[in-house]
Amino acid sequence: MPLEKPNSRLLSTSILELKDELEERLEKCYNTVQSMLAGLSEREANDVLNSHVSKGLAQHEEVQLGLLFSVLVDPKSAAKSYRDMTLITRDGLNIVLTKANQIVYEKWLKINDAARTQIVWFCKELVRNNVMGADSVCQSLIRQISGGDVTPKNIWLAENMLDVFMEYRSWLEKNGSLAATVVYTYLRVIIDHGAQMFSHLRQREVELCVSILREKWSDCMTIGRDLIRLLQNVARIPDFEKLWKDILHNPTTLCPTFTGVLQLLHTRTSRKFLVARLTPDMENKLVFLISKVKFGQQKRYQDWFQRQYLSTPESQSLRCDIIRYICAVFHPSNELLCSDIIPRWAVIGWLLTTCTSNVAASDAKLALFYDWLLFDPERDSIMNIEPAILVMYHSMRPHPAITATLLDFLCRIMVNYCPMFSAQVKQGIYTSLKTIRDKRVLPSLSPLFDNSKLDRDLRSLLREHFTEFCSHEVVIKEDLSEKSLMEIDNRSNIGENHLSPLPGNMSDARFSDEDDDSPTTTEMPEFGKPKQEIEFVPIEEPTKVEPVDISEQLGQLSGDLRDLTAQLQSESDQELQCETIDRLMQAVIQEEEFDTDIAGPLAICLCQILSSQLNGTLLPDDVDDETIEDSIGRPLYVMFRFLSQMSEEDPRRQPLLLLLGEMYSKQPKIGYHLIYFLKVSKMNEEKMATYKDFCKSIDNKDLETCLLDDLKLCQEDDVRLFTFLIPDIYTHFPGIAIGNAKLIEMIVSCIDGTQLQELICQILQGHLTMFKNKETFLSVLNESLDWETIEQYFLWQLIAAHNIPVEHILPILPKLEYTSHAEAMTSILVLLKQESPAADLVRPILVRECKKSDYFAVSILKYWAQEHEDRLAELIFQQLTKLNGGTPKKRQRTGSSKKENPSVDQVLAHLDHMRQTCRNISFLNHENVQLALQQVQMTASEVQKTKYSDLLALAEDIEFQDIKTTRKLRGGRKGSNTSPKAQKIRKPAQEYTDSDSVSSEDEDMKPKAKKRKKPTPTVDDDSE
């Protein structure tokens, strides 16, 4: 039966696609309305519709959606349907607007041309009638105007929406947010319409943008710094050139509060404008790529995206929109950052390497670094600048040209981007690099700026602009020939000698394609370590000693709050400061309306005044009661004491919590300072209750997030203090801390031997418990497998201090690889060495797959064979006899699963590995092992006999009759004709039977022996 194409009036669908559910619902409503109105006059139709919608919301929605469908698919009756829609609406057309936005947002690519025309007509009618919510439909439609797309359908939409905005200009100016989005959209697409065929459209777009910018500049300022970026792209157009002159030289003519370009560059671009430059379909595909696709599997998705959106010459300009979206809009969560999903920098690197236009490549690089130019940690997010530094860092080896061109671009925009503000741009880029270093985005910036793969001129340029971030300077002597060696000028105050291999390594830097470049890059950071500590010290000083003018914030305060804050600022004596801040806290709790408008400026003032205390060393070198008391005698801790002494029910605590919360948002170090105060202060109540209340008062953060963030910051600032706080963290926050892999990694990644010793002493004294139940402990072990070697060994030291049973550790054994997880396997070996062999310990070891290169099982088995020979032999005998059918009924009763018990092949493989690896194999001659091998030999398949022939050949030649006699005499009876050798073998077998105390097992084994009687002579004949 041939397939029939669905009869669709709204959407274009293929033969293979089912009819769209949304269209089906709209059409059903449309048919209902048409059946109601058939044969009626206009007056009668109006009465019927009003009567039907009065029955309820469902009927109202049904009629409205039916009329909407009529507007979209029936142009002849569209005006009448729109009139009826407005006459009978009960919700101001809210249902219709919501559904229209859904159609445009989700179905635009499938909507047929006639329906698209009707949607634009419908939008125009909404604007003409000044319907509330019409701007949302306009927003949805202009978002479908794709950048870098000059196809007829895209040009048609841009033209028609431009007609709407120009015709109803007065309405547009009343909607400031929409006006700003319209300007941002058309400023962006103007550069795509440079061809002669689009000249008329381009001129109309220019006129609209310039007129809105001049008349509604205050609304357009909300766009932020990206408005300057787009205006620079069109600066050579005469109308925009005139506008630029006013922006630079007469800014107040545009808006009285506008002070110039610098004001806009300091304003972060709102995400809604950056999102508006990607169509919904494009955004969905991009978000899927950077949130669902695993790193290493992204090529086919990138190829599809390239074919779909970036395949034409005009589409190259779209790359800067995508890069701005990735940097400033999509900020991955911590879980996503820690996963194996493709990182943002990898997608940006792909966009840069596949760019075919020099102009588009320059715009893309500017889009990448744009948030660096006037970066302010207080206003901007580090997530905006992180991708750029990671692209450069990770491209050093696979794509050194990308790193080189980005570094060169960074150097040049410092001076050339905005010459009149070059000092501010340079400071913004420096601030970006300092924040990157302080937040540990990269362990060090030196390998990036001192990379030997970079061109000599570029390295010289980098040292000229970023001396503070280089570990050393290279002085290039002009009179040297190409074969001469570079000299390293160590300009530090300490007299370090030059490393002798360095000149040779540096001379090799001219040949970036040589194989011996890689050692150079690994040695350079090591050389720079002593120098880094000296060079990095001045970088911290500006943030500590440069005062921030708080006169504006002081002006926002009034009465006692202003006077006491000003007095606190002028005081230099610590005791007087403490008294002043005590009175200030009294004034805060007495303030009738203490809200964020007051708390914000006051918090900024206090953070600035107390900055030296927040940035100084907190924990004394010699910890005793006197020094601890002195350490919390500072003004900051007066605030903490004031808060902690108030009862939880006291409503006056709320202003203090609000103030501390505002200070915390400006200076996160407040968090761990409060933890330190509560730890050392002598209060009888539950110590950390105040901190818990403090965390509850902070928006968008729970207790766990607050605690881990504060501890992470403390760890970065002062490891000694961090270690000092750890026991109390585990004591007072057991639900969060115990078994928390992130916290444990935080600990082991920063401590040294002395601090490890302190923690272990705390554990042994009973003051610190880091692990409790088996499940959380195993989750920590699983997480630790990817940590650094020293971190894992520190973890195992802490585990050993807790006396955790080895049985709790062994479940992780199957996951461990001998070569990949050496730290964990070594530590487990040491723990097993201290134990005596037992069934629960031997079983998981024998279950491990036997590999020639894996010496874990053979090592512990050999050790146990030396120290506990009889016990291990008995366990091996038990395993093999059970597996050979010795006690089948008992196995059923115990219910042990197949996964827990090793197979015959696994046991034999480990014994054979022992035979091949160990020099002394006397253990294999043990009576129990001999008897077990003899039984295996009688029941083994031919494949097993062939595979383990050398091992089975070690079994003593015992006649089958003697074995049978041994079994009969298990109950303790003796036979006069029993040989001494048979008695030796019989004794351990008797002990094993008695220990099981199951009489039926003897009966089960007798038939087995009779069945094996037949092949026995063959075995004996072979041995003879």
Side-chain angles (χ1 to χ4, degrees), residues 187-188 191 202 228-237 244 320 363 366:
L187 273 179
R188 166 63 188 86
I191 60 173
R202 178 186 174 115
I228 298 297
R229 181 176 64 86
L230 295 184
L231 283 172
Q232 284 181 307
N233 292 337
V234 297
R236 296 186 181 277
I237 298 174
W244 262 110
C320 59
D363 290 342
L366 180 61

Side-chain angles (χ1 to χ4, degrees), residues 1-7 13-19:
M1 180 178 178
L3 293 172
E4 295 183 3
K5 186 175 181 179
N7 184 18
T13 54
S14 67
I15 295 176
L16 298 177
E17 291 179 298
L18 296 174
K19 194 164 186 178

Side-chain angles (χ1 to χ4, degrees), residues 194-239:
Q196 184 63 34
M197 60 193 308
F198 306 127
S199 58
H200 180 63
L201 170 62
R202 178 186 174 115
Q203 184 57 37
R204 294 178 66 219
E205 290 171 337
V206 170
E207 291 173 3
L208 177 67
C209 290
V210 171
S211 61
I212 295 177
L213 284 167
R214 285 193 175 276
E215 296 171 21
K216 305 298 279 184
W217 181 261
S218 59
D219 292 330
C220 297
M221 282 174 60
T222 59
I223 295 173
R225 60 174 67 114
D226 277 86
L227 176 60
I228 298 297
R229 181 176 64 86
L230 295 184
L231 283 172
Q232 284 181 307
N233 292 337
V234 297
R236 296 186 181 277
I237 298 174
D239 291 348

Side-chain angles (χ1 to χ4, degrees), residues 322-453:
I322 298 174
I323 289 174
R324 290 299 295 145
Y325 178 90
I326 293 174
C327 290
V329 178
F330 184 82
H331 292 172
S333 63
N334 289 333
E335 291 77 15
L336 197 60
L337 289 171
C338 298
S339 68
D340 56 356
I341 300 300
I342 181 173
R344 294 188 300 165
W345 62 262
V347 178
I348 292 175
W350 161 66
L351 291 170
L352 293 174
T353 54
T354 55
C355 188
T356 57
S357 164
N358 290 333
V359 174
S362 179
D363 290 342
K365 285 181 270 189
L366 180 61
L368 180 62
F369 286 113
Y370 204 60
D371 289 312
W372 288 51
L373 303 182
L374 280 96
F375 180 78
D376 182 356
E378 296 293 328
R379 292 191 296 265
D380 298 309
S381 170
I382 191 173
M383 298 298 285
N384 290 22
I385 62 174
E386 177 218 49
I389 197 74
L390 293 181
V391 168
M392 293 189 287
Y393 181 77
H394 290 287
S395 299
M396 283 195 298
R397 288 180 179 276
H399 302 289
I402 291 292
T403 301
T405 187
L406 289 176
L407 286 171
D408 180 74
F409 185 84
L410 188 62
C411 291
R412 298 187 189 284
I413 60 172
M414 290 177 69
V415 180
N416 301 325
Y417 176 72
C418 191
M420 61 191 299
F421 299 121
S422 59
Q424 288 88 338
V425 172
K426 183 177 181 180
Q427 184 59 42
I429 293 175
Y430 274 25
T431 304
S432 301
L433 291 170
K434 292 172 187 175
T435 305
I436 286 167
R437 184 206 61 203
D438 295 342
K439 297 293 185 181
R440 305 288 180 88
V441 176
L442 289 181
S444 172
L445 295 174
S446 173
L448 188 61
F449 292 115
D450 292 327
N451 185 11
S452 61
K453 289 190 176 183

Side-chain angles (χ1 to χ4, degrees), residues 442-551:
L442 289 181
S444 172
L445 295 174
S446 173
L448 188 61
F449 292 115
D450 292 327
N451 185 11
S452 61
K453 289 190 176 183
L454 300 177
D455 178 74
R456 180 186 301 180
D457 294 336
L458 178 56
R459 290 207 304 274
S460 177
L461 189 64
L462 289 171
R463 291 187 181 89
E464 178 185 344
H465 289 291
F466 303 110
T467 306
E468 298 174 3
F469 300 100
C470 299
S471 62
H472 58 277
E473 294 183 29
V474 178
V475 179
I476 305 174
K477 295 187 177 181
E478 296 180 358
D479 57 342
L480 293 181
S481 63
E482 289 186 1
K483 295 183 180 180
S484 301
L485 301 178
M486 296 181 188
E487 295 182 359
I488 307 302
D489 181 17
N490 189 349
R491 297 175 183 241
S492 64
N493 294 328
I494 58 174
E496 286 186 343
N497 295 324
H498 300 305
L499 300 179
S500 56
L502 191 59
N505 289 343
M506 291 303 293
S507 65
D508 292 341
R510 288 173 294 184
F511 308 102
S512 61
D513 55 344
E514 287 187 359
D515 292 335
D516 49 354
D517 278 343
S518 53
T520 307
T521 57
T522 56
E523 290 174 9
M524 290 295 288
E526 291 297 322
F527 171 75
K529 278 185 179 178
K531 185 72 177 195
Q532 284 174 1
E533 297 175 1
I534 298 166
E535 293 291 346
F536 281 167
V537 171
I539 297 176
E540 298 291 348
E541 290 179 359
T543 59
K544 294 179 182 179
V545 300
E546 285 186 4
V548 176
D549 186 10
I550 57 174
S551 55

Side-chain angles (χ1 to χ4, degrees), residues 78-94:
K80 179 180 178 299
S81 298
Y82 177 78
R83 184 194 64 197
D84 292 340
M85 186 189 300
T86 56
L87 288 175
I88 66 169
T89 182
R90 298 290 191 270
D91 62 352
L93 295 180
N94 184 56

